[in-house]
Amino acid sequence: MSDNYVQIFDTTLRDGEQSPGATLTSAEKLQIARALSELGIDIMEAGFPAASPDDLEAVKQIAIQVGNQMRGDREPPVICGLARAVQLDIDRCWEAIQYAKHPRIHTFLATSPIHMKYKLKMDPEEVVEQVREMVAYAKQYCDDVEFSPEDAGRSDPEFLYLVLGEAIKAGATTLNIPDTVGYTTPEEFGALINGIMQNTPGIENVVVSTHCHNDLGLATANTLAGVQNGARQVEVTINGIGERAGNTSLEEVVMALQTRGQAYGQMTGIDSTQITKVSRMVSSLTGMPVQPNKAIVGANAFAHEAGIHQDGMLKHEETYEIMRPESVGLNKSELVLGKHSGRHALKVRMQELGYDLGNDALYEVFGRFKDLADKKKVVTNADLIALMQDELYQPREIFALQDLQVTCGTINMPMASVRLQGPDGEQYTAATIGTGPVDACYKAVDQIIGLPVNLIEYTVRSVTDGIDAIGEVAVRLEPLDASTRTSPQTGVARPVQFSGHGAETDIVVASVKAYLSALNKALVGTGMFVDSAENEPVIA
Ligand code: KIV
Ligand code: ZN
């Protein structure tokens, strides 16, 4: 690997998916894994196999299906699994990743005084011994072993040099330095990496990596400081999702290295024109919206509102734009679409927005576009994106919405009648009252499907300005008898959650679609719905 190449280690499917509410089904993980591979990442942390049998299986499928797929003349990405520094985790990790052409075991143990004393209840000497043993244990399985001293940002640097030196002797090939709680400043984190480069025996034979959390909003700055001091791998997630305030965001680091080439002198293997597409996919599937002013991928990242800015832009784009929107896969078309626009115009616009539609998909989307254009005079790019997200990133429809009728207001209790089509092709109807129209609908859906759940989160937002805007609804729910998955850091088992989303001009319809989307995932995830050998869907 050349000295001016920074490897992109994506942990969207592990640290990103660990954030509350971001739970993905196995099929969704695979979909994202394929997109990440196409995006050009070097290493993919596909999950924490010891979290649950489902997590193990999802990592295994990614190892098989994505970890053996060439990308043109580029090798498949390294498929990495996370394991605590204990034998059982390492065994499970290997069980899952061994099918990849390039597998990696990533094992970790905390090294900060506070973690060693209160969480691990171990002496520093015991920590060093366990690192030695577990790195060597992982090495028996796999040549490519990464070790992370958890909470390195608050660890004693001298102790880190010792632990990292022992990890290298035991066979680690990558040393990842996590600022687990997002505590350090760029100056401190840069100095930490520099100290490690200068003082760790054997460091010249391994790759040093950064892993920064964003609690103080410094994750990208810290990561770049790490790169300036010799790190040649960065651990990042799409949209910066992750525990608490999240991880360093892939798009920010990649675009900083690309846009400020002279400042950093480093390149990556990322095809930046795919960033917007992957960002939208991750946002839709995790149910985690991107804030409008988010760098690179926020809806306003390339929008110029102020008159003085617009004037400048018209005179010369570089007055207010440091990156071309096309470089992240955005194309700003000024053409307005409306009810007279044809299929070809829609196809071209979708391509500009980063969606390549085949004939079948175009047919489907065109129907929805026409319905929308009948309701709204002007269909904006934001409308089209909402429509596409709704079309593309929905789970398999086990129960599908057929009809819905709601009465509400100040006179009577809100009441809803809902008709769904079940997996057997039958129509099921229920009518109920509720505290509001959405509550009434959800109760009717519950009566039909019969899967007891807690609704954890419900949000509705309008996609554009205006009274006729599309409403986008996101929900998160937890089945009452959900299986659990263990957090790698705390060891605590949490029930599995499922998210869903829906987009319609009628927000009650969008709400029901979002709820059904989450329930359809939950039906599969809880094993209540299974496909029989003949592929005949049955309710267990
Ligand atoms: O933040 C952290 O310390 C981690 C480790 C497991 C690398 O995610
Ligand atoms: Zn982390």
Side-chain angles (χ1 to χ4, degrees):
M1 201 65 63
S2 80
D3 195 47
N4 64 351
Y5 185 89
V6 174
Q7 297 186 62
I8 301 294
F9 176 115
D10 182 277
T11 182
T12 305
L13 293 173
R14 199 281 295 169
D15 219 339
E17 208 246 353
Q18 243 173 267
S19 47
T23 319
L24 297 162
T25 63
S26 302
E28 291 168 339
K29 287 180 191 171
L30 203 52
Q31 199 177 352
I32 293 177
R34 288 204 173 96
L36 290 170
S37 178
E38 284 303 308
L39 177 66
I41 57 141
D42 300 277
I43 303 112
M44 178 184 313
E45 191 160 51
F48 171 48
S52 73
D54 282 351
D55 284 77
L56 192 151
E57 186 56 30
V59 177
K60 181 171 160 184
Q61 285 310 318
I62 291 172
I64 295 170
Q65 299 190 41
V66 182
N68 291 286
Q69 183 80 48
M70 292 290 288
R71 301 170 283 179
D73 54 7
R74 204 166 157 198
E75 282 290 297
V78 172
I79 304 295
C80 172
L82 183 70
R84 288 167 294 196
V86 293
Q87 288 195 358
L88 194 68
D89 272 28
I90 295 172
D91 293 343
R92 291 207 176 128
C93 182
W94 180 244
E95 205 183 311
I97 60 162
Q98 60 180 300
Y99 303 95
K101 184 161 180 208
H102 305 291
R104 173 181 296 185
I105 297 176
H106 175 192
T107 188
F108 72 99
L109 193 64
T111 49
S112 64
I114 190 160
H115 274 233
M116 289 191 289
K117 183 167 176 194
Y118 294 105
K119 182 176 108 165
L120 300 177
K121 300 187 176 32
M122 286 167 84
D123 293 334
E125 296 72 32
E126 291 174 301
V127 167
V128 177
E129 188 49 34
Q130 190 160 329
V131 169
R132 221 183 264 137
E133 279 178 17
M134 289 304 112
V135 171
Y137 186 73
K139 192 77 179 181
Q140 291 178 325
Y141 283 129
C142 187
D143 262 351
D144 189 347
V145 175
E146 172 168 327
F147 170 71
S148 294
E150 191 190 5
D151 204 14
R154 292 188 300 171
S155 299
D156 170 10
E158 294 295 329
F159 182 57
L160 276 182
Y161 308 150
L162 172 71
V163 174
L164 295 174
E166 291 304 315
I168 295 173
K169 273 197 239 156
T173 42
T174 300
L175 295 177
N176 175 47
I177 311 304
D179 182 13
T180 303
V181 289
Y183 180 71
T184 61
T185 63
E187 293 72 25
E188 288 165 356
F189 194 73
L192 180 65
I193 298 293
N194 187 43
I196 289 169
M197 301 300 296
Q198 302 302 325
N199 298 298
T200 306
I203 201 76
E204 60 287 355
N205 303 319
V206 302
V207 174
V208 172
S209 165
T210 64
H211 179 109
C212 298
H213 279 268
N214 202 29
D215 299 64
L216 293 173
L218 294 172
T220 298
N222 286 352
T223 299
L224 292 170
V227 170
Q228 284 177 312
N229 284 280
R232 288 295 173 267
Q233 174 182 291
V234 291
E235 301 203 350
V236 290
T237 61
I238 299 289
N239 301 336
I241 63 171
E243 289 271 6
R244 306 181 310 279
N247 288 62
T248 308
S249 83
L250 178 147
E251 59 277 8
E252 291 176 14
V253 173
V254 167
M255 290 316 288
L257 295 179
Q258 191 166 307
T259 309
R260 302 303 313 278
Q262 285 192 327
Y264 295 105
Q266 297 294 329
M267 55 189 267
T268 72
I270 297 294
D271 170 6
S272 66
T273 63
Q274 298 194 34
I275 283 178
T276 301
K277 185 172 76 180
V278 182
S279 159
R280 289 186 193 141
M281 174 188 281
V282 169
S283 171
S284 287
L285 293 179
T286 56
M288 299 190 78
V290 175
Q291 78 199 55
N293 59 326
K294 165 84 178 62
I296 318 294
V297 292
N300 296 346
F302 292 90
H304 301 274
E305 189 69 33
I308 189 169
H309 288 202
Q310 287 183 351
D311 180 54
M313 283 292 293
L314 289 173
K315 288 178 178 143
H316 197 294
E317 277 150 350
E318 277 178 28
T319 49
Y320 286 100
E321 217 162 57
I322 59 162
M323 295 166 273
R324 299 293 307 133
E326 294 81 5
S327 66
V328 297
L330 274 175
N331 202 323
K332 288 195 295 177
S333 177
E334 304 304 333
L335 251 170
V336 166
L337 293 189
K339 67 180 189 179
H340 300 299
S341 305
R343 212 177 295 254
H344 183 68
L346 181 68
K347 185 174 174 144
V348 171
R349 174 64 58 84
M350 285 303 191
Q351 264 162 355
E352 289 172 355
L353 292 173
Y355 303 105
D356 229 334
L357 300 183
N359 280 347
D360 289 352
L362 180 64
Y363 183 81
E364 283 286 316
V365 173
F366 188 66
R368 284 193 71 178
F369 161 72
K370 279 285 178 194
D371 286 347
L372 184 62
D374 275 343
K375 291 180 191 150
K376 296 187 74 186
K377 263 207 218 95
V378 171
V379 179
T380 65
N381 285 351
D383 291 322
L384 291 175
I385 291 167
L387 206 138
M388 275 316 291
Q389 303 295 90
D390 196 42
E391 276 294 317
L392 284 180
Y393 306 126
Q394 289 295 0
R396 180 166 165 207
E397 264 192 326
I398 297 161
F399 283 91
L401 178 64
Q402 296 296 295
D403 287 307
L404 169 67
Q405 194 180 352
V406 182
T407 48
C408 63
T410 51
I411 314 273
N412 290 319
M413 289 286 284
M415 184 173 160
S417 320
V418 173
R419 185 159 64 236
L420 305 182
Q421 176 163 308
D424 47 9
E426 291 291 314
Q427 308 277 316
Y428 297 89
T429 312
T432 46
I433 52 170
T435 52
V438 174
D439 183 53
C441 290
Y442 283 18
K443 285 194 170 119
V445 170
D446 286 343
Q447 266 187 21
I448 296 172
I449 298 186
L451 177 70
V453 296
N454 270 333
L455 185 63
I456 309 283
E457 198 175 291
Y458 168 91
T459 54
V460 57
R461 74 175 190 104
S462 125
V463 169
T464 52
D465 296 339
I467 197 73
D468 56 356
I470 291 188
E472 229 173 16
V473 176
V475 303
R476 187 150 55 92
L477 51 81
E478 189 178 281
L480 293 188
D481 57 355
S483 51
T484 56
R485 57 211 300 254
T486 307
S487 151
Q489 277 95 355
T490 60
V492 173
R494 282 200 304 239
V496 180
Q497 297 183 351
F498 299 89
S499 63
H501 58 99
E504 286 289 336
T505 44
D506 181 324
I507 57 164
V508 180
V509 179
S511 301
V512 174
K513 284 188 155 183
Y515 194 50
L516 278 174
S517 150
L519 281 173
N520 281 333
K521 285 186 204 170
L523 283 168
V524 175
T526 55
M528 192 171 157
F529 177 85
V530 285
D531 281 329
S532 72
E534 298 78 43
N535 254 347
E536 283 281 320
V538 291
I539 293 285

